[in-house]
Amino acid sequence: MMKEELETTNRPDNTAFTQQRLPAWQPMLSAGIVIPGFVLIGLAFIGIGVALFITSQNITVLEKDYTGVETTSDCYKCSNPSDKNCTCKLEFSLSTLFEGPVFFYYGLSNYFQSQRSYGASKDEYQLSGDLDYFKTPISACSPYQYDANQNPIVPCGSLANSMFNDTFKLYQIVNGTKKLVPFDGKGIAWWTDYNIKYRNPSVTPLKNAFNGTVKPSFWSKPAYELDTSDPSNNGFVNQDFLVWMRRAALPDFRKLYRRITEGDYARGLPAGNYSLEIAYNYPVLSFGGRKKVVFSNVSWMGGKNQFLGIAYLVVGSLCVVMSMVMLIVYAKFKFPEDD
Amino acid sequence: MLRRRLNRLFGRDERKVDSRTIYVGHRPCPATEALIPPKFCDNRIVSSKYTVWNFLPKNLFEQFRRIANFYFLIIFLVQVIVDTPTSPVTSGLPLFFVITVTAIKQGYEDWLRHKADNEVNKYLVTVLEDGRRACKESEKIKVGDVVEVVEDETFPCDLILLQSSREDETCFVTTASLDGSPTIRWSVAVYSGMETKMALNYQGKSQKRSAVEKSINAFLLVYLCILVSKALVCTTLKYVWQNRPGQDEPWYNQKTQKEKDTNLYLKMFTDFLSFMVLFNFIIPVSMYVTVEMQKFLGSFFISWDKDFFDPEIQEGALVNTSDLNEELGQVEYVFTDKTGTLTQNNMEFIECCIDGFQYKYADSGTELDGFCVTDGPVNILQQKAGREELFLRALCLCHTVQVKETVGPADLGGFIASSPDEVALVKGAMKYGFKFLGMESKNMRVMNRNNDVETYELLHVLNFDPVRRRMSVIVRTKSGDTMLFCKGADSSIFPRVRQEEVDKIRMHVERNATEGYRTLCVAYKLLSREEYDQADTGLREAKLALQDREEKLMAVYNQVETGMSLIGATAVEDRLQEEAAETMEALQGAGMKVWVLTGDKMETAKSTCYACRLFQRSTELLELTVRTLVDLGRKREVRLHELLLDYHKRAVQDAPPIKAGVTRSWSSANQDYGFIIDGATLSLVLNSSPDSNSSCYKSLFLQICQNCTTVLCCRMAPLQKAQIVKMVKNCKGSPITLSIGDGANDVSMILEAHVGIGIKGREGRQAVRNSDYAIPKLKHLKKLLLGHGHLYYVRIAHLVQYFFYKNLCFILPQFLYQFFCGYSQQPLYDAAYLTMYNICFTSMPILANSLLEQHICMEVLMDNAALYRDVAKNAMLGWGPFLYWTLLGVYQGLLFFFGVRFLFSNPALQDNGQVFGNWSYGTIVFTVLVFTVTLKLAMDTRHWTWINHFVIWGSLAFYMFFSFFWGGIIWPFLRQQRLYFVFANMLSSVSAWLIIILLILLSLLPEILLLVLRKPRGPHSRQVLSTYSDTISFKC
């Protein structure tokens, strides 16, 4: 009795786990699985690639640089930074219908929104409507924390301060007269940014919340007057502001400015001559940057991007070629395990 | 034995204390002596490192002494002090995790040590106090206490013998475990506690580090260089870039006043530190903890293995250290003790041969078997019976055995002898009716078959020595005849007896020898009075000679031991351990070189080697012993040099060069060499006089040994065993050594070798206690090395490579991103991802894999010893595999980054035209990364248990879940909600999905290709697969 007890206490447990004998699946990559698998994957990738490529091909893009570096450009006159309130024109014509909905982007290059100090230079508590941070913004906002008179800047920080402030008006030239193409400024920022992440302080009128604060030095209007036409598009929950605040990943980027979805242009921009009136405010030449506007329509895959389709085609064909190579190799060295 | 012990007590202690004055029984100090009573420590043995109070500070100190932990601490401090891109939490949390887990593990191990210490310290001993016996806990013994030690008890500390229960005031000490004395006696405590010899030995035990750890440190250094160069490149480029017009301080990102005021060089330095912090994740902080957990948890599989369970002793394997698991898969040299390890140390008298007739003792139950049953004329029969009795008397008289005083009255007879086969012979004679009763003041008493006691006066013992290889006794019978009985090896007896006698016996002896028995020939000689007188004076003179005593004695011995008449021969078997031969064969098949280190005589050891198939019939033996050296009477050094050169020529120069990856069949086609050396010659080789070129001997010797499949070292002192191990360990290529033994005399070599294995034999626990692993039987060594060792090595090697790889492709995109963010140390990934990558998302699959993986299943590994060679010489952690993994990491890192970068050339990735920002960029890269490294591991996994499935798919699911959760809520404690809905938005973009799938596939494509194309080329795998496909598919 005693002995049996001893044995049970000392003897190792005879379980599958302790004896390293857990039932296990041992995958065997044999030619019979790999070659058809590769062919299938390859074909699927080629299929997706073709779809992507065609989709991308069908997306129309119109890109226009308006920095005004070239003397021939109308915007050349505005490229002098001392020149305030300068407007210039960019004219183009469409030979066919630019299918809608058309998305209107502005693009900047050699602009490092991705810099760390730049990105960190904002106060998210302030931007979520916390009035305490209206009076004392965090130090990360420096040198845009307080102005010369020690008034707190709202919204503080380099990121907000440098908000893009060129404005655009698009006219279609119909029989020599300018017909305004209506822009839709809604839904250009992320829904969650507009509705949850960024909040105005719950003070009405909104202007009162900003008492004792100053607007960012670069801004021409305070935050609560960003959109005079739509009161719900002011303060921090302004679509343009939110688009700007979502930092671009790369130094050459584009940001959504407006959509063309209304009126006669819901189906797109018809063929004809167009004139884009630009209020040229944003200086980029000092750091060697460029500005451009982009008209584009989008598909299920987003904007035009040839890379993805080509990559899929290449990888897909690679898979097929490799399965061929494998087939040859396997045929040469007959495999005993396949017997 | 006692002398040796006392020598140990007094002789070698000068270094520590010159002398000790001890007051036995704590008498008061005599006032006249101006001696301050010295303070001695108490008898507590402390092998534990920590106490409850000092655990935290001491453990932290120990942990931060480890270079990697210290490095992470520095990084953490830099993050706290300097304005760095990532918050201190990102490196502080993993560091805290690592430190905590390690502390828990070390705390647990120390708790075990505390338990073991307590067992020893609370052991009750009898102490004489004020003339009375008192029971005391072992730890309370003070220096000067008088202690009573009963038979078979362990000494509680170092003692000096005061009184023995034996009449002649002697005692016997088994050095096997430095415990167990056959007599009751009093003794006084001399050294106690941590000052005992044993404790001093413990302290000499240094931490063993495995070869894998050395590889890790080398890789770490490479990665540290990569890290520093990355930081340097970024810092340099940053300032180069900023020098271009307009880039230093664009209007949209103006510097603060503080930044403007800072010294340029200080700014550069802090920038450098910031880059270091940003890229520090390339050094896998969690690798150490994962490796440690793997070792700690993995070692349980050894102690859990029921194959190691021995029903006889009711115990399984014991793991004393988990740091060396993988070293079991790397063993190149096996040093094994012979007695008790290869053999059972259980000598048994098998048969004898008298005058050419063979007598075999069939069954111990029957009294006489084979004796006097042959038919024949009566007178012959009588003559035969006379010879038998003479033979048995010779066995009873010609030895140096002493009878053990037994407590019980009726005992089958315990004998004490320097050599167990003498006991076997005496016991063998007993079976045939002649019983040796012991010595009584120079008289040997023998009980014959008729239960009459015969007494013989012992006149001289001509001791055994390895050159003569025989021993003799001269006795005088009651009737006054003087007789010489001699027993010895056949080669030393045959020339000294008549030829016709030899012919009758030679055949039997040879047959016995080939069967692996130890054979001895027995001869006798009647000495006339004159002959005896002459021998007597010769012996006395020689014994008293001051110069050349050995030589003179030898001359007399040789003179006396002539003209004898051969009576017969004996065969004694030293039983091999179960499956000893199979085990040794497997070890050799696995490419290990087996060295037998024994204190035994050469003949004995040689026969064991033959029996274990370490030497085979075809093996050519190269012998370097006292016998071969003494041959020509020349100076020994000269002869040694000659022999060494000759052997070197045969075994090294003429042998074809050994190619890597040879199989057993290939090597056995060539000549196998076996090398035999004895202790005396070894010391000559190792410590030859300074004028001769000893280093030359040593290297010659080593080269010969390295080309021999088996080396036998006989007549070794325990210290010499360690010396040999040390020599091999430190030779070129520093091979991994393993020592296996069961007795206290093996402790030195067990401690010296990379891996020390103790056998839980009957001979005490010293070897087990000092070993790294203890197994009940020798046969378990095969599974321990070929099965567990191989798997552990493969597992940990893969673990290490994988860790470096996954952190390289983790941090490479972050490095590349610096080129796109103006070298501003902008992290690509969110802080949560940086922190969690190593401790949550990718840690469990590799841990499970490194615990459960069986790339080849256990049975196949055990059946194909040659598979062990595939991983020999740290094959999976060489620079080649490291380069492969590093390139893979670089390839994937580049792919992740640039794949997404080209996608982001148009950041409008959703069908609503909205654009993605930098955090989306990082999240896409990170998602690809997590999936790729996890799937890479899945591809490497050859053995999918449910646990593997659970952790691999579970980790991916957890990543998805976490990302949703992390981005789905506004976390009040976070200053910046960077990832708010980034992940969800990413998933709503078809392009993001497509790029993720594409990049994962493309990253793994070379691996898949390699996996498919590489497999058919491996000769082993194909053979294994075809032969053992049943095993694989059904058993595993």
Side-chain angles (χ1 to χ4, degrees):
Chain A
M1 181 66 198
M2 193 55 197
K3 200 176 175 188
E4 264 173 35
E5 223 165 74
L6 198 76
E7 186 154 329
T8 47
T9 47
N10 273 348
R11 184 183 283 277
D13 292 343
N14 187 12
T15 62
F17 175 67
T18 57
Q19 301 308 316
Q20 306 195 56
R21 286 178 180 283
L22 282 174
W25 169 58
Q26 306 212 308
M28 303 275 275
L29 282 176
S30 68
I33 300 169
V34 173
I35 295 175
F38 261 62
V39 172
L40 274 181
I41 292 175
L43 291 180
F45 268 50
I46 290 174
I48 296 172
V50 167
L52 280 171
F53 191 75
I54 292 172
T55 311
S56 187
Q57 284 292 323
N58 285 340
I59 296 174
T60 327
V61 175
L62 182 73
E63 263 188 53
K64 294 277 172 193
D65 187 294
Y66 72 95
T67 324
V69 188
E70 304 86 8
T71 46
T72 52
S73 164
D74 185 47
C75 292
Y76 178 68
K77 61 184 182 195
C78 299
S79 60
N80 183 1
S82 60
D83 197 0
K84 300 274 181 225
N85 296 328
C86 172
T87 47
C88 61
K89 254 185 252 164
L90 194 69
E91 290 177 342
F92 59 93
S93 64
L94 297 173
S95 53
T96 52
L97 172 74
F98 197 120
E99 263 187 69
V102 178
F103 290 74
F104 180 57
Y105 298 88
Y106 62 88
L108 295 172
S109 44
N110 201 27
Y111 191 107
F112 287 83
Q113 257 206 324
S114 51
Q115 281 204 36
R116 181 166 67 92
S117 54
Y118 177 77
S121 183
K122 61 178 174 183
D123 187 342
E124 291 218 8
Y125 287 147
Q126 192 185 64
L127 295 172
S128 63
D130 192 329
L131 281 171
D132 294 344
Y133 294 90
F134 275 53
K135 294 183 193 78
T136 50
I138 61 163
S139 57
C141 283
S142 175
Y144 302 101
Q145 190 182 7
Y146 298 100
D147 72 350
N149 306 320
Q150 290 305 305
N151 293 315
I153 299 173
V154 178
C156 74
S158 316
L159 185 51
N161 181 64
S162 60
M163 182 178 155
F164 187 75
N165 61 356
D166 283 0
T167 52
F168 306 93
K169 278 190 175 118
L170 182 64
Y171 297 97
Q172 188 186 10
I173 316 290
V174 186
N175 306 325
T177 54
K178 295 201 287 186
K179 184 182 171 195
L180 184 70
V181 178
F183 280 157
D184 177 8
K186 288 206 178 66
I188 56 170
W190 287 18
W191 188 90
T192 47
D193 284 355
Y194 187 78
N195 291 293
I196 301 163
K197 191 174 168 182
Y198 291 85
R199 297 281 75 191
N200 281 326
S202 43
V203 175
T204 41
L206 182 60
K207 188 176 185 248
N208 291 354
F210 288 80
N211 285 340
T213 68
V214 293
K215 65 176 175 56
S217 59
F218 184 70
W219 290 20
S220 53
K221 294 176 282 188
Y224 49 87
E225 285 169 6
L226 281 175
D227 189 350
T228 45
S229 60
D230 182 1
S232 65
N233 195 27
N234 273 311
F236 306 139
V237 288
N238 173 273
Q239 295 272 355
D240 288 324
F241 178 65
L242 295 181
V243 167
W244 183 254
M245 293 301 277
R246 183 151 292 279
R247 291 158 64 203
L250 301 170
D252 292 345
F253 61 88
R254 65 176 72 164
K255 282 178 185 287
L256 188 53
Y257 183 71
R258 292 290 181 268
R259 294 184 300 159
I260 303 167
T261 53
E262 292 164 11
D264 301 339
Y265 303 95
R267 279 188 57 251
L269 297 176
N273 293 327
Y274 290 86
S275 166
L276 185 70
E277 270 188 30
I278 302 157
Y280 194 112
N281 300 318
Y282 208 73
V284 292
L285 285 170
S286 63
F287 54 86
R290 286 283 187 280
K291 300 195 284 190
K292 66 181 175 193
V293 287
V294 181
F295 294 92
S296 168
N297 45 27
V298 298
S299 66
W300 51 272
M301 62 172 282
K304 191 182 182 87
N305 195 338
Q306 302 281 41
F307 164 73
L308 205 54
I310 291 169
Y312 261 86
L313 283 173
V314 168
V315 174
S317 359
L318 207 67
C319 283
V320 174
V321 168
M322 274 193 322
S323 60
M324 295 302 155
V325 170
M326 266 187 272
L327 201 65
I328 294 164
V329 171
Y330 272 75
K332 270 205 165 177
F333 305 87
K334 281 169 191 153
F335 282 92
E337 74 235 64
D338 284 348
D339 299 342
Chain B
M1 293 288 174
L2 180 69
R3 205 178 64 197
R4 193 198 294 171
R5 178 142 179 94
L6 289 178
N7 276 348
R8 278 165 57 102
L9 280 179
F10 298 117
R12 284 177 36 227
D13 209 37
E14 280 83 0
R15 267 171 303 145
K16 185 151 174 75
V17 267
D18 294 336
S19 64
R20 267 192 169 195
T21 312
I22 296 159
Y23 296 99
V24 177
H26 307 292
R27 276 188 299 137
C29 215
T32 48
E33 239 173 285
L35 186 88
I36 308 138
K39 273 205 151 181
F40 299 123
C41 68
D42 63 4
N43 194 33
R44 225 158 51 133
I45 298 283
V46 183
S47 65
S48 57
K49 268 194 194 149
Y50 310 110
T51 64
V52 177
W53 308 112
N54 73 10
F55 177 76
L56 205 63
K58 196 171 171 187
N59 182 265
L60 283 183
F61 176 71
E62 293 267 318
Q63 285 205 47
F64 283 118
R65 268 184 12 181
R66 182 175 252 177
I67 189 99
N69 285 346
F70 186 70
Y71 161 79
F72 289 113
L73 184 70
I74 295 292
I75 291 286
F76 175 72
L77 291 179
V78 167
Q79 278 181 310
V80 172
I81 297 162
V82 183
D83 165 45
T84 53
T86 53
S87 89
V89 178
T90 52
S91 68
L93 200 66
L95 182 66
F96 177 74
F97 178 70
V98 167
I99 298 285
T100 314
V101 170
T102 313
I104 288 171
K105 184 207 153 193
Q106 290 182 349
Y108 172 73
E109 284 180 348
D110 204 57
W111 178 68
L112 290 183
R113 278 194 287 266
H114 269 286
K115 252 177 50 175
D117 286 350
N118 272 342
E119 222 167 86
V120 177
N121 289 335
K122 302 288 179 215
Y123 184 77
L124 288 180
V125 289
T126 316
V127 176
L128 193 69
E129 258 176 7
D130 307 323
R132 275 173 294 135
R133 282 192 181 147
C135 258
K136 236 185 185 183
E137 281 171 357
S138 166
E139 61 175 342
K140 300 219 169 95
I141 293 176
K142 286 193 280 292
V143 171
D145 274 350
V146 178
V147 182
E148 184 191 44
V149 182
V150 192
E151 175 169 358
D152 289 339
E153 234 179 29
T154 315
F155 295 135
C157 56
D158 291 357
L159 303 166
I160 291 180
L161 176 68
L162 297 179
Q163 192 196 18
S164 156
S165 66
R166 272 177 74 101
E167 288 163 21
D168 56 355
E169 293 293 331
T170 58
C171 74
F172 293 94
V173 180
T174 335
T175 45
S177 56
L178 302 177
D179 62 1
S181 66
T183 51
I184 308 166
R185 77 273 172 76
W186 293 101
S187 48
V188 63
V190 188
Y191 290 104
S192 57
M194 298 311 283
E195 285 178 354
T196 57
K197 294 293 153 233
M198 241 162 72
L200 290 176
N201 272 346
Y202 278 134
Q203 285 162 351
K205 185 176 177 182
S206 61
Q207 186 79 40
K208 289 182 179 176
R209 292 241 165 265
S210 75
V212 167
E213 209 156 324
K214 281 173 207 148
S215 297
I216 294 178
N217 286 338
F219 297 164
L220 211 63
L221 218 62
V222 172
Y223 269 62
L224 206 65
C225 290
I226 296 179
L227 170 67
V228 171
S229 48
K230 272 184 179 176
L232 275 176
V233 164
C234 282
T235 315
T236 316
L237 285 179
K238 176 173 182 162
Y239 286 90
V240 169
W241 180 74
Q242 282 186 351
N243 266 342
R244 283 164 50 189
Q247 305 305 336
D248 182 26
E249 195 184 1
W251 67 265
Y252 58 86
N253 187 21
Q254 279 174 359
K255 291 177 181 172
T256 58
Q257 197 55 43
K258 207 175 122 206
E259 277 174 313
K260 285 178 191 163
D261 294 344
T262 317
N263 177 290
L264 177 70
Y265 296 102
L266 186 68
K267 258 199 292 195
M268 281 181 170
F269 182 66
T270 51
D271 271 325
F272 175 73
L273 285 183
S274 295
F275 281 119
M276 288 283 282
V277 166
L278 190 67
F279 304 143
N280 88 81
F281 300 92
I282 198 175
I283 308 271
V285 59
S286 56
M287 185 178 72
Y288 279 95
V289 72
T290 313
V291 165
E292 217 139 289
M293 295 230 289
Q294 192 269 350
K295 286 179 169 184
F296 177 63
L297 298 175
S299 63
F300 282 112
F301 284 119
I302 293 178
S303 44
W304 280 339
D305 196 323
K306 71 173 166 43
D307 289 350
F308 293 155
F309 182 76
D310 186 42
E312 222 174 278
I313 57 169
Q314 290 292 318
E315 270 179 83
L318 177 76
V319 180
N320 285 332
T321 171
S322 55
D323 290 340
L324 301 168
N325 293 343
E326 70 278 4
E327 211 85 329
L328 294 173
Q330 288 293 301
V331 176
E332 283 170 69
Y333 286 86
V334 174
F335 297 93
T336 166
D337 174 43
K338 187 189 75 69
T339 319
T341 306
L342 287 177
T343 66
Q344 298 180 342
N345 198 17
N346 195 1
M347 302 287 176
E348 206 173 330
F349 185 89
I350 294 295
E351 60 176 57
C352 61
C353 155
I354 304 168
D355 280 342
F357 296 101
Q358 187 193 346
Y359 297 83
K360 192 155 193 161
Y361 194 77
D363 183 17
S364 56
T366 58
E367 253 195 21
L368 293 174
D369 189 280
F371 271 81
C372 299
V373 288
T374 18
D375 300 328
V378 179
N379 62 334
I380 295 179
L381 210 63
Q382 274 173 347
Q383 191 199 337
K384 217 175 144 213
R387 297 287 280 186
E388 281 167 21
E389 295 202 346
L390 184 65
F391 177 78
L392 293 172
R393 282 196 184 98
L395 291 189
C396 283
L397 294 172
C398 183
H399 55 71
T400 53
V401 174
Q402 281 174 297
V403 175
K404 184 173 168 186
E405 280 173 23
T406 45
V407 189
D411 198 281
L412 277 168
F415 297 103
I416 302 160
S418 55
S419 140
D421 27 8
E422 290 206 309
V423 175
L425 289 179
V426 172
K427 280 187 174 171
M430 207 161 79
K431 282 195 273 189
Y432 294 122
F434 275 77
K435 190 175 179 185
F436 174 61
L437 295 175
M439 295 280 292
E440 211 167 62
S441 59
K442 299 223 95 185
N443 282 323
M444 296 178 97
R445 293 164 66 233
V446 174
M447 197 200 291
N448 67 14
R449 283 185 191 169
N450 306 325
N451 283 345
D452 297 331
V453 176
E454 302 170 4
T455 52
Y456 297 87
E457 190 189 343
L458 180 63
L459 300 171
H460 282 287
V461 177
L462 284 60
N463 277 324
F464 179 89
D465 68 72
V467 180
R468 258 167 68 240
R469 303 204 296 158
R470 57 180 181 267
M471 70 148 308
S472 307
V473 289
I474 302 175
V475 294
R476 181 171 292 148
T477 60
K478 264 256 173 79
S479 52
D481 294 334
T482 312
M483 296 174 97
L484 176 133
F485 290 105
C486 178
K487 70 167 196 271
D490 45 8
S491 57
S492 68
I493 299 280
F494 285 171
R496 300 175 174 272
V497 297
R498 286 202 299 278
Q499 196 54 43
E500 62 267 27
E501 289 171 339
V502 171
D503 296 337
K504 284 195 271 183
I505 282 177
R506 185 192 297 274
M507 197 190 75
H508 288 284
V509 172
E510 278 174 2
R511 185 177 47 80
N512 283 337
T514 51
E515 280 167 3
Y517 299 141
R518 297 136 69 107
T519 55
L520 285 174
C521 292
V522 182
Y524 89 110
K525 175 183 176 183
L526 258 171
L527 293 173
S528 64
R529 185 157 290 276
E530 298 81 59
E531 276 177 311
Y532 174 67
D533 286 343
Q534 197 190 341
D536 187 44
T537 36
L539 284 169
R540 278 174 206 282
E541 269 171 25
K543 271 181 190 163
L544 293 173
L546 292 175
Q547 282 178 343
D548 303 329
R549 185 189 302 158
E550 302 268 309
E551 282 80 2
K552 283 179 181 163
L553 268 175
M554 198 83 75
V556 182
Y557 287 168
N558 284 336
Q559 195 193 331
V560 177
E561 291 164 337
T562 44
M564 299 181 291
S565 121
L566 187 64
I567 322 170
T570 60
V572 169
E573 185 187 20
D574 187 2
R575 285 252 187 88
L576 289 184
Q577 292 277 4
E578 286 171 64
E579 293 171 39
E582 289 84 347
T583 308
M584 289 300 131
E585 214 164 33
L587 296 188
Q588 288 197 325
M592 287 175 241
K593 302 230 163 91
V594 181
W595 292 41
V596 180
L597 309 183
T598 175
D600 274 6
K601 288 180 290 194
M602 193 187 97
E603 284 72 26
T604 325
K606 215 160 98 181
S607 66
T608 308
C609 285
Y610 273 114
C612 291
R613 279 178 246 163
L614 285 171
F615 290 158
Q616 285 165 2
R617 292 283 142 234
S618 60
T619 307
E620 191 181 336
L621 295 183
L622 311 174
E623 202 176 315
L624 198 67
T625 56
V626 175
R627 200 171 50 150
T628 54
L629 290 186
V630 90
D631 264 2
L632 293 166
R634 268 186 290 166
K635 239 188 130 191
R636 290 200 297 179
E637 278 82 359
V638 180
R639 178 82 184 130
L640 174 71
H641 191 65
E642 239 176 59
L643 272 175
L644 274 173
L645 283 178
D646 174 43
Y647 291 162
H648 185 260
K649 193 167 172 299
R650 272 154 70 184
V652 182
Q653 292 166 358
D654 295 351
I658 293 167
K659 293 187 189 81
V662 282
T663 55
R664 177 75 177 161
S665 56
W666 186 87
S667 67
S668 64
N670 287 272
Q671 179 62 50
D672 268 346
Y673 289 100
F675 194 81
I676 304 176
I677 190 166
D678 63 4
T681 320
L682 183 75
S683 61
L684 206 65
V685 170
L686 297 182
N687 326 310
S688 42
S689 43
D691 55 304
S692 63
N693 33 0
S694 65
S695 60
C696 165
Y697 285 171
K698 205 167 154 179
S699 74
L700 275 179
F701 170 67
L702 260 175
Q703 283 179 28
I704 298 167
C705 289
Q706 280 168 352
N707 277 26
C708 292
T709 43
T710 304
V711 176
L712 167 62
C713 306
C714 41
R715 289 262 162 230
M716 290 277 140
L719 218 68
Q720 275 187 313
K721 290 185 176 182
Q723 231 178 341
I724 290 235
V725 176
K726 193 172 186 174
M727 182 182 75
V728 172
K729 199 169 90 172
N730 294 335
C731 81
K732 209 178 128 229
S734 41
I736 307 297
T737 55
L738 175 142
S739 292
I740 178 162
D742 69 323
N745 57 349
D746 305 318
V747 168
S748 64
M749 74 171 183
I750 285 176
L751 291 178
E752 184 63 50
H754 291 99
V755 188
I757 310 266
I759 290 201
K760 296 177 164 180
R762 278 167 286 183
E763 284 195 47
R765 289 256 143 182
Q766 277 294 329
V768 171
R769 219 172 292 161
N770 286 290
S771 65
D772 302 311
Y773 302 89
I775 46 178
K777 285 271 164 63
L778 177 77
K779 63 175 178 181
H780 299 140
L781 189 64
K782 184 178 167 190
K783 189 174 185 189
L784 189 66
L785 297 187
L786 301 190
H788 287 282
H790 189 147
L791 286 182
Y792 280 128
Y793 175 73
V794 171
R795 287 167 182 174
I796 203 141
H798 183 255
L799 168 73
V800 169
Q801 298 281 25
Y802 179 78
F803 249 98
F804 280 107
Y805 145 81
K806 84 173 163 112
N807 281 287
L808 181 63
C809 59
F810 172 47
I811 234 57
L812 189 63
Q814 182 134 293
F815 167 70
L816 294 171
Y817 191 57
Q818 298 312 307
F819 295 84
F820 297 89
C821 68
Y823 313 98
S824 60
Q825 302 121 23
Q826 170 66 39
L828 181 60
Y829 317 114
D830 180 58
Y833 285 158
L834 282 173
T835 315
M836 307 268 284
Y837 177 70
N838 268 322
I839 58 177
C840 291
F841 301 142
T842 60
S843 63
M844 288 316 284
I846 181 63
L847 183 64
N849 175 280
S850 67
L851 284 172
L852 302 168
E853 175 68 352
Q854 295 181 36
H855 65 300
I856 301 172
C857 78
M858 202 75 115
E859 284 79 12
V860 180
L861 283 177
M862 303 252 299
D863 291 339
N864 292 268
L867 290 174
Y868 195 82
R869 292 162 190 250
D870 292 354
V871 295
K873 299 229 178 262
N874 210 0
M876 286 179 72
L877 287 173
W879 290 110
F882 176 68
L883 195 69
Y884 169 74
W885 282 90
T886 306
L887 287 180
L888 188 71
V890 170
Y891 163 74
Q892 296 190 349
L894 288 171
L895 207 62
F896 299 160
F897 184 80
F898 286 106
V900 181
R901 193 238 161 286
F902 286 120
L903 182 77
F904 264 69
S905 55
N906 182 355
L909 293 172
Q910 297 189 78
D911 55 1
N912 59 10
Q914 291 173 359
V915 293
F916 279 168
N918 65 324
W919 297 118
S920 300
Y921 190 108
T923 305
I924 293 175
V925 172
F926 192 76
T927 308
V928 176
L929 169 77
V930 168
F931 273 81
T932 304
V933 297
T934 309
L935 291 177
K936 156 79 181 138
L937 185 74
M939 276 173 47
D940 288 345
T941 304
R942 309 265 99 235
H943 189 81
W944 286 80
T945 65
W946 66 267
I947 301 175
N948 292 88
H949 281 289
F950 180 75
V951 290
I952 287 182
W953 311 126
S955 281
L956 293 179
F958 174 74
Y959 167 69
M960 300 293 279
F961 171 78
F962 174 85
S963 297
F964 257 118
F965 195 59
W966 185 244
I969 293 174
I970 297 275
W971 296 95
F973 58 88
L974 281 182
R975 179 114 222 175
Q976 304 198 349
Q977 312 289 339
R978 294 157 162 175
L979 284 199
Y980 188 65
F981 260 74
V982 163
F983 192 74
N985 260 327
M986 182 191 89
L987 293 186
S988 73
S989 156
V990 182
S991 291
W993 277 92
L994 288 176
I995 195 78
I996 288 171
I997 293 167
L998 176 83
L999 290 179
I1000 292 172
L1001 185 88
L1002 200 56
S1003 310
L1004 296 176
L1005 210 56
E1007 272 287 304
I1008 299 172
L1009 216 64
L1010 220 65
L1011 204 71
V1012 175
L1013 291 180
R1014 186 177 46 189
K1015 207 179 62 186
R1017 300 231 174 87
H1020 295 306
S1021 55
R1022 195 196 300 182
Q1023 175 206 337
V1024 167
L1025 288 174
S1026 54
T1027 320
Y1028 293 93
S1029 52
D1030 300 338
T1031 332
I1032 288 172
S1033 44
F1034 298 117
K1035 278 195 177 171
C1036 306

